[in-house]
Amino acid sequence: LGTVSVVRAALPYLKATHGRVVTVASTLALRAVSGATAYCASKFGVLGFSRALAAETAGEIGVTTMIPGGMKTHFFDDRLEQYKPQDDSRLNDPERVAQAILFALSQPAGCEVREMLICHEEEGSWP
């Protein structure tokens, strides 16, 4: 509900300024895996919310959904071994995702990047 709550609070300002919002899902918004039911459901929810928001606010605000693959963060630190990536060299640097978000936000008026999937070229978490 965090994504919905933040967007709801910012929506009046976004509409007044023709602003843009970037939501962050995951490649697990595109495919389900065992042992991650709640996580997959939450990311499917972010993707559906973002698509509906874009449809409802078309012409008023910009909506981009970033869909990153596995990231080199501390996300996996406290996970069981079976859920940790076997090879973290195939995880993406968060800086690259930040650059992709800046790209989406830098588009000229009238042009929107609705969804962007970004991952390491050899990473296998996307369909």
Side-chain angles (χ1 to χ4, degrees):
L1 295 175
T3 300
V4 174
S5 298
V6 169
V7 171
R8 182 180 293 151
L11 202 53
Y13 175 78
L14 291 168
K15 285 183 174 182
T17 62
H18 196 75
R20 289 183 164 140
V21 63
V22 177
T23 59
V24 180
S26 162
T27 50
L28 295 187
L30 304 174
R31 74 182 189 116
V33 296
S34 66
T37 305
Y39 186 81
C40 291
S42 71
K43 298 309 176 180
F44 271 76
V46 169
L47 186 58
F49 168 76
S50 302
R51 288 176 176 176
L53 181 66
E56 290 177 12
T57 61
E60 296 180 89
I61 71 169
V63 179
T64 298
T65 306
M66 184 59 57
I67 305 170
M71 304 290 296
K72 274 191 185 177
T73 65
H74 295 288
F75 180 83
F76 297 104
D77 287 358
D78 62 347
R79 305 287 185 242
L80 297 174
E81 266 322 295
Q82 71 190 58
Y83 298 119
K84 291 183 179 183
Q86 298 299 315
D87 179 5
D88 73 352
S89 71
R90 293 184 178 182
L91 298 178
N92 214 356
D93 185 326
E95 185 176 324
R96 297 188 188 224
V97 176
Q99 291 169 349
I101 290 170
L102 290 174
F103 169 79
L105 292 172
S106 70
Q107 296 308 297
C111 179
E112 296 298 333
V113 176
R114 292 294 186 205
E115 294 177 4
M116 183 181 289
L117 189 149
I118 182 168
C119 61
H120 186 277
E121 67 183 347
E122 295 180 47
E123 190 235 333
S125 73
W126 60 282

